[in-house]
């Protein structure tokens, strides 16, 4: 136990350096996943078409074992930053994609019909009605995605990308169990810190009206309003 | 009320326009029978036309054709003489107020935000939008303090008032209403129906009002269009015409076997007593007969008559006795106007 | 050539990489190698991988269901258990596996402790959500008909919670398959073993073989769970045919 605490003091500079790279890599992978997933999910959710394709793509990508992606990547495009980034993006992308899609597609049809009937264009409906309503769910997708990516980024070492906390976590011979646990602790803290920061951003971005709506309709026992006949 | 004219001062003061359906047919892909079959009718400017009929009768389809939420193949619809196909669809919709059963308020916007959406998109100034919002809140009888609240904080009835206000924001000449009060409890529904009738008399709009409730149609509509399965127009006319002369068995069935009683709801005691003989005034033989307000419907009068067991009712207007009405007179009033 | 496990003196099976057939060292994929090594290395690894996964998911399911039933009426336990299992997910998996090595050694037990723990979050959360979101009307009707609380739990709530539970199983199965590859660097079992061997030798045929096999295992498992889900929850697909 004492060697665990001692490790932080003895290796402060190394830990700081590895942590920084670990953060940079994770943020970069998350950003790529988000930039790819949100427009795609939002657009398809808006169209209310191809939903089967999105759900299937999401499920397939989610099933892909990260280490297998890294292994195949090593054979196809070799060691390094590209390899680990691809693996982490594949890890984070489906969460954001399906959440964005589900949220946008799930916006109350009455609200969308009212917007259409009022003369809002498709783009206006997407940006002013659907996306603002989807923020909480999109955000939770991004937050989960972050937790997964940070906790998995140590695999960078196996992808031949040195410099992350994985250098310590995957080298128990060199640093001992206390070193591994120290590096893991930092990784855990990063996961929680990022989640908290994103949570703050979510609070700031979520429109007050939606929060009130969520408080009014508790998740449990919430039954959808009886659907009106589509065409009388 | 210090408001002299509740119609829009900050709106654009546009007169109502008539809506003409000209041989409109709508067929959904993959369906044998058309949803709407060769519909031709005219809704005169400023009037409310109620579309009634069974599920599958095409009433909602007919309404949604007007703001082109649904497209149609043959025939034409004109508003104020202009074909709806000659206008850009966005422009068309912004000129048409749209109210639906689910209300569809934007949950992330305040009440003011909801009402101000289209004015905002049209580039109105902040000031003008604010003034217009206050005006509209007055119009639908919501306190102005509601402006900063969110939809989740409102009851169903309040939400639908906001829905109305939002639809009226840019003072559109035409309004489409799809079972707007269908989700409300009976008391709230009656209340908001009465208020809408009131409001309609102050602002002149051409309204197409879809409902499955014939009583609501009789109450709200200047004219009623009864559609039948397959989107065929069974009859189009005033409530009185429909009740007195249903075009066929189907319409008679639809308006109900109690259509004679329903007709009683269409007229006021004032009309009967005024049309009756003034000679029966003076030393009334019915001095202890129960009294009924002049603005009450004949139905209320009849009910009062039956309940009291008296041979006649006295019709009063603010305490002043206008005259008496007997059972025979009531019967004549309904039977007479139907022949 | 030592893996983390090898360094800790676990008897590792030495894989004769270029056994038998003629494969050029710069070849991306050598089919001969695959067919030669399927019966001795790849096939057994795949079977091991499936076993490892099944054990973890079954144990995880038993624990989660018990915990969910217990937590159902005790919200303090629910939030506590949720917090604990959320915390597990933030731990880099390799570190988590290594943590138990001093106690349970470089063994299957160590791997299973880790993998089972990872299933808890998904399975517990989904079971609890499923139990809690049963329509109030169904429960009230059952109460009105005179079912006891236990009967309501096992005959009404549990079956109606199945779709949610199955969804949890689905995600945890693919998660365990993924994490089990990493576990091979602690105890050389499953498809992770050839992957790690190949990572250290950069032998592309083995990288691709083991990687693709792992992906196939995951995809097939996903499809199987969906099939099972449809089988046990027929009412979720019932639609009025009119």
């Amino acid at each position: 136990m004492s060697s665990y605490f001692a490790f932080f003091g003895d290796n402060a500079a190394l830990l700081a350096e590895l942590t920084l790279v670990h953060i940079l890599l994770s943020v970069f992978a998350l950003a790529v996943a988000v930039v790819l997933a949100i427009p795609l999910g939002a657009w398809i959710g808006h169209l209310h078409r191809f939903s089967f394709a999105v759900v299937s793509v999401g499920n397939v990508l989610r099933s892909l074992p990260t280490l297998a992606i890294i292994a195949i990547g090593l054979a196809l495009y070799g060691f390094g930053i590209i390899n680990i980034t691809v693996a982490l993006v594949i890890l984070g992308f489906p969460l954001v994609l399906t959440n964005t899609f589900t949220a946008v597609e799930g916006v109350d049809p009455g609200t969308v019909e009212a917007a259409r009937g009022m003369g809002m264009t498709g783009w206006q409906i997407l940006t002013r009605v659907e996306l603002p309503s989807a923020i909480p769910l999109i955000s939770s997708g991004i937050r989960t995605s972050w937790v997964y990516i940070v906790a998995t980024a140590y695999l960078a070492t196996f992808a031949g990308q040195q410099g992350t906390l994985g250098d310590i976590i995957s080298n128990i011979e060199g640093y001992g169990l206390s070193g591994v646990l120290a590096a893991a602790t930092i990784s855990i803290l990063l996961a929680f810190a990022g989640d908290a920061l994103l949570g703050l951003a979510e609070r700031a971005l979520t429109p007050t009206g939606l929060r009130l709506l969520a408080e009014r309709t508790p998740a449990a026992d919430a039954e959808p309003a009886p659907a009106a006949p589509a065409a009388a | 009320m210090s408001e002299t004219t509740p119609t829009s001062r900050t709106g654009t003061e546009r007169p109502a326009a008539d809506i003409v359906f000209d041989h409109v047919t709508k067929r959904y892909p993959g369906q044998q029978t058309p949803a709407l079959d060769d519909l031709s009718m005219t809704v005169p400017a400023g009037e409310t036309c109620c579309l009634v009929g069974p599920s599958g009768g095409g009433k909602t389809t007919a309404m949604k054709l007007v703001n082109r939420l649904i497209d149609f193949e043959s025939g034409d619809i004109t508003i104020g003489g202009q074909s709806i196909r000659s206008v850009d669809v966005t422009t068309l919709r912004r000129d048409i107020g749209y109210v639906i059963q689910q209300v569809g308020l934007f949950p992330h916007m305040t009440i003011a935000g909801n009402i101000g959406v289209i004015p905002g998109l049209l580039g109105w100034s902040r000031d003008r939008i604010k003034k217009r919002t206050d005006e509209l809140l007055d119009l639908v009888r919501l306190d102005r303090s509601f402006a900063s609240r969110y939809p989740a904080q409102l009851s169903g009835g309040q939400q639908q008032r906001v829905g109305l206000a939002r639809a009226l924001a840019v003072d559109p000449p035409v309004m489409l209403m799809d079972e707007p009060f269908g989700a409300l409890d009976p008391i709230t529904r009656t209340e908001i129906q009465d208020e809408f009738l009131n409001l309609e008399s102050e602002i002149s709009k051409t309204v197409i009002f879809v409902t499955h409730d014939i009583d609501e149609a009789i109450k709200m509509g200047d004219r009623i269009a009864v559609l039948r399965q397959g989107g065929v127009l069974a009859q189009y006319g005033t409530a009185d015409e429909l009740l007195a002369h249903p075009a066929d068995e189907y319409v008679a069935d639809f308006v109900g076997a109690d259509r004679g009683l329903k007709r009683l709801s269409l007229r006021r005691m004032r009309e009967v007593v005024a049309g009756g003989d003034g000679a029966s005034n003076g030393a009334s033989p019915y001095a202890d007969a129960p009294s009924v307000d002049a603005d009450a419907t004949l139905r209320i009068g009849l009910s009062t008559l039956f309940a009291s067991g008296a041979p006649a009712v006295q019709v009063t207007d603010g305490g002043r006795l206008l005259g008496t009405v007997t059972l025979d007179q009531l019967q004549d009033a309904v039977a007479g106007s139907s022949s | 050539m030592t893996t983390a496990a090898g360094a800790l003196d676990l008897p590792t099976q030495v894989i004769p990489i270029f056994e038998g057939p003629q494969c050029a060292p710069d070849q991306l994929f050598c089919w001969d190698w695959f067919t030669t090594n399927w019966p001795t290395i790849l096939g057994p690894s795949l079977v091991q991988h499936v076993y490892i996964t099944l054990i973890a998911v079954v144990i995880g399911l038993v624990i989660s269901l018990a915990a969910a039933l217990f937590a159902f009426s005790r919200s303090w336990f629910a939030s506590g258990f949720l917090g604990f299992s959320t915390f597990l997910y933030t731990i880099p998996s390799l570190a988590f596996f290594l943590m138990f090595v001093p106690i349970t050694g470089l063994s299957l037990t160590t791997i299973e402790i880790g993998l089972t723990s990872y299933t808890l979050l998904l399975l517990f959360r989904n079971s609890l959500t499923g139990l809690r979101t049963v329509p109030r009307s169904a429960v009230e009707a059952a109460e009105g008909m005179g079912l006891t609380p236990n009967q309501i739990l096992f005959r009404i709530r549990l079956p109606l919670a199945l779709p949610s539970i199955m969804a949890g199983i689905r995600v945890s199965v693919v998660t365990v398959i993924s994490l089990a590859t990493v576990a091979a660097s602690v105890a050389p079992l499953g498809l992770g073993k050839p992957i790690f061997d190949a990572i250290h030798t950069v032998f592309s045929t083995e990288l691709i073989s083991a990687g693709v096999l792992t992906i196939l295992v995951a995809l097939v498992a996903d499809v199987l769970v969906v099939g099972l889900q449809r089988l046990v929850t027929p009412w979720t697909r019932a639609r009025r045919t009119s």
Side-chain angles (χ1 to χ4, degrees):
Chain A
M1 207 61 192
S2 59
S3 63
Y4 166 75
F5 291 109
F7 191 89
F8 286 101
D10 299 344
N11 300 279
L14 174 69
L15 282 174
E17 199 186 318
L18 297 181
T19 303
L20 182 67
V21 177
H22 201 90
I23 294 175
L24 288 178
L25 173 65
S26 304
V27 169
F28 178 61
L30 181 70
V32 174
V34 165
V35 165
L36 293 176
I38 289 185
L40 184 64
W43 183 239
I44 291 180
H46 175 76
L47 289 180
H48 292 274
R49 258 189 287 163
F50 315 118
S51 57
F52 180 75
V54 175
V55 173
S56 306
V57 167
N59 283 333
V60 167
L61 289 181
R62 197 186 56 188
S63 314
L64 301 182
T66 309
L67 196 62
I69 311 260
I70 291 175
I72 296 170
L74 285 178
L76 298 181
Y77 40 82
F79 284 112
I81 182 80
I82 291 183
N83 187 309
I84 184 64
T85 305
V86 168
L88 293 180
V89 168
I90 289 177
L91 181 70
F93 174 80
L95 288 163
V96 185
L97 177 76
T98 42
N99 273 34
T100 306
F101 165 77
T102 311
V104 170
E105 200 205 26
V107 172
D108 173 41
T111 306
V112 176
E113 193 192 318
R116 224 151 65 88
M118 285 160 68
M120 288 172 102
T121 62
W123 178 251
Q124 284 165 344
I125 293 173
L126 180 62
T127 55
R128 289 170 194 245
V129 179
E130 291 172 329
L131 277 177
S133 305
I135 286 175
L137 204 50
I138 294 178
S139 166
S140 88
I142 296 177
R143 290 167 71 172
T144 314
S145 186
W146 166 259
V147 171
Y148 280 29
I149 288 177
V150 167
T152 314
Y154 77 92
L155 289 179
T157 307
F158 300 115
Q161 176 59 45
Q162 306 303 315
T164 66
L165 291 167
D167 288 8
I168 296 176
I169 294 175
S170 66
N171 190 358
I172 193 169
E173 307 95 314
Y175 296 98
L177 186 58
S178 47
V180 171
L181 294 183
T185 306
I186 294 177
S187 178
I188 293 166
L189 291 178
L190 288 182
F192 280 111
D195 184 54
L197 278 178
L198 288 166
L200 287 179
E202 177 189 334
R203 272 195 77 80
L205 285 173
T206 304
T208 317
L210 287 183
R211 219 172 301 140
L212 291 169
L213 189 68
E215 282 162 19
R216 206 171 107 155
T217 48
D221 293 313
E223 276 170 298
Chain B
M1 284 277 272
S2 59
E3 305 290 325
T4 44
T5 156
T7 39
S8 104
R9 283 163 297 137
T10 44
T12 36
E13 294 278 4
R14 288 180 291 183
D18 58 355
I19 304 172
V20 179
F21 288 79
D22 184 17
H23 296 288
V24 177
T25 297
K26 168 69 191 174
R27 200 182 293 270
Y28 288 107
Q31 289 193 357
Q32 284 293 309
T33 51
L36 204 60
D37 195 1
D38 194 33
L39 177 68
S40 289
M41 65 178 195
T42 301
V43 185
E47 288 201 357
T48 298
C49 166
C50 285
L51 295 174
V52 293
S55 295
K59 51 189 195 294
T60 296
T61 301
M63 187 205 72
K64 286 184 176 175
L65 294 180
V66 177
N67 63 354
R68 288 173 61 188
L69 281 176
I70 299 176
D71 266 315
F72 55 100
E73 301 82 39
S74 68
D76 199 8
I77 298 174
T78 59
I79 297 176
Q82 193 174 23
S83 166
I84 60 167
R85 296 205 232 214
S86 66
V87 197
D88 166 62
V89 68
T90 303
T91 317
L92 174 80
R93 287 177 187 165
R94 286 180 187 173
D95 278 347
I96 298 175
Y98 190 53
V99 185
I100 57 178
Q101 183 178 349
Q102 312 93 307
V103 192
L105 294 184
F106 305 135
H108 59 295
M109 298 181 188
T110 60
I111 301 314
N114 268 282
I115 296 176
V117 167
I118 292 301
L121 290 176
L122 292 174
W124 289 20
S125 71
R126 209 175 267 267
D127 239 33
R128 190 175 167 204
I129 296 178
K130 165 92 181 66
K131 262 196 203 153
R132 181 68 182 149
T133 304
D134 285 344
E135 246 171 54
L136 287 163
L137 287 175
D138 292 345
L139 193 66
V140 298
R141 291 178 210 287
L142 281 176
D143 194 85
R144 288 188 181 184
S145 68
F146 275 76
S148 57
R149 297 202 198 169
Y150 287 94
Q153 296 168 304
L154 272 54
S155 71
Q158 290 167 336
Q159 291 195 17
Q160 194 53 285
R161 283 160 203 250
V162 176
L164 266 175
R166 182 174 71 175
L168 289 166
V170 296
D171 200 20
V174 168
M175 304 241 320
L176 304 179
M177 306 178 79
D178 190 0
E179 305 206 20
F181 312 133
L184 304 175
D185 65 84
I187 294 174
T188 313
R189 188 187 311 151
T190 308
E191 203 177 283
I192 199 166
Q193 279 172 343
D194 291 340
E195 279 175 24
F196 184 69
L197 283 174
N198 224 332
L199 188 151
E200 254 191 312
S201 62
E202 294 170 355
I203 54 174
S204 170
K205 302 283 171 217
T206 313
V207 182
I208 292 186
F209 191 113
V210 169
T211 175
H212 61 261
D213 176 0
I214 185 68
D215 291 314
E216 187 175 50
I218 291 171
K219 179 173 181 182
M220 306 304 289
D222 296 307
R223 280 157 203 272
I224 299 172
V226 184
L227 292 157
R228 73 167 95 225
Q229 209 73 34
V232 180
L233 182 63
Q235 189 171 3
Y236 181 47
T238 63
D240 202 44
E241 284 165 13
L242 254 64
L243 293 170
H245 310 287
D248 54 24
E249 198 72 359
Y250 172 78
V251 178
D253 227 42
F254 198 87
V255 297
D258 61 342
R259 60 177 190 274
L261 276 179
K262 280 178 178 150
R263 284 194 73 208
L264 287 173
S265 305
L266 297 175
R267 302 182 65 186
R268 314 254 160 216
M269 294 300 286
R270 182 191 302 281
E271 303 164 33
V272 184
V273 78
D277 51 309
S280 68
N281 282 354
S284 167
Y286 311 116
D288 47 352
S291 61
V292 171
D293 191 85
D295 283 326
T297 61
L298 299 191
R299 192 180 175 123
I300 305 269
L302 184 67
S303 168
T304 313
L305 200 59
F306 279 174
S308 67
V313 288
Q314 307 189 48
V315 181
T316 55
D317 187 13
R320 198 165 59 88
L321 183 70
L322 293 184
T324 55
V325 174
T326 64
L327 182 59
D328 285 347
Q329 283 173 301
L330 281 176
Q331 202 173 2
D332 285 348
V334 180
S337 65
S338 74
S339 53
Chain C
M1 190 49 49
T2 53
T3 60
L8 291 164
D9 269 14
L10 191 92
T12 40
Q13 170 194 7
V14 180
I15 300 181
I17 287 176
F18 286 98
E19 183 191 280
Q22 296 77 34
C23 290
D26 57 346
Q27 211 173 333
L28 186 62
F29 188 79
C30 175
W31 185 249
D32 275 344
W33 183 90
F34 182 84
T35 47
T36 314
N37 288 282
W38 169 259
T40 52
I41 299 162
L42 296 172
S45 300
L46 190 149
V47 173
Q48 270 177 359
H49 208 92
V50 172
Y51 272 121
I52 292 171
T53 305
L54 275 179
I55 293 171
V57 173
V58 169
I59 297 177
L61 186 61
V62 170
I63 296 176
S64 299
L65 273 179
L69 288 176
F70 184 76
F72 177 61
S73 50
R74 300 168 183 83
S75 58
W76 58 267
F77 182 80
S79 45
F81 196 94
L82 260 185
F84 169 68
S85 47
T86 308
F87 169 72
L88 285 177
Y89 249 74
T90 63
I91 306 175
S93 45
L94 182 54
F96 192 64
F97 292 126
L98 289 172
M99 224 162 68
F100 292 97
V101 172
I103 308 162
T104 47
L106 297 171
S107 63
L108 179 66
T109 316
T110 306
I111 297 182
E112 294 297 354
I113 290 175
L115 292 177
T116 304
S117 304
Y118 278 105
T119 64
L120 294 183
L121 171 64
L122 293 160
L123 291 174
F124 175 75
R125 190 179 54 194
N126 279 45
S127 306
L128 192 60
T129 311
L131 287 175
R132 285 194 170 162
T133 50
V134 167
R136 194 176 289 280
S137 54
V139 176
E140 275 174 13
E143 279 169 351
M145 290 157 68
L147 272 71
T148 65
N150 268 339
Q151 287 168 333
I152 292 176
L153 187 59
F154 288 100
R155 287 165 195 251
I156 311 291
R157 285 193 189 269
L158 213 50
L160 285 175
L162 264 182
S164 177
I165 296 173
M166 290 305 298
I169 292 178
R170 186 174 176 193
V171 182
S172 53
V173 162
V174 295
T175 305
V176 168
I177 290 173
S178 174
L179 293 176
T181 57
V182 175
S185 97
V186 176
L189 298 161
L191 284 164
K193 164 93 173 84
I195 289 182
F196 277 111
D197 286 339
I199 282 178
H200 290 278
T201 57
V202 204
F203 175 42
S204 65
T205 300
E206 190 173 12
L207 281 170
I208 292 176
S209 311
V212 170
L213 283 178
T214 317
I215 288 175
L216 283 180
V217 170
L219 293 181
V220 169
D222 196 46
V223 170
L224 287 180
V225 177
V226 173
L228 183 67
Q229 182 172 11
R230 289 176 160 235
L231 208 65
V232 297
T233 60
W235 67 89
T236 56
R237 278 169 300 124
R239 291 274 177 278
R240 264 193 305 174
T241 47
S242 65

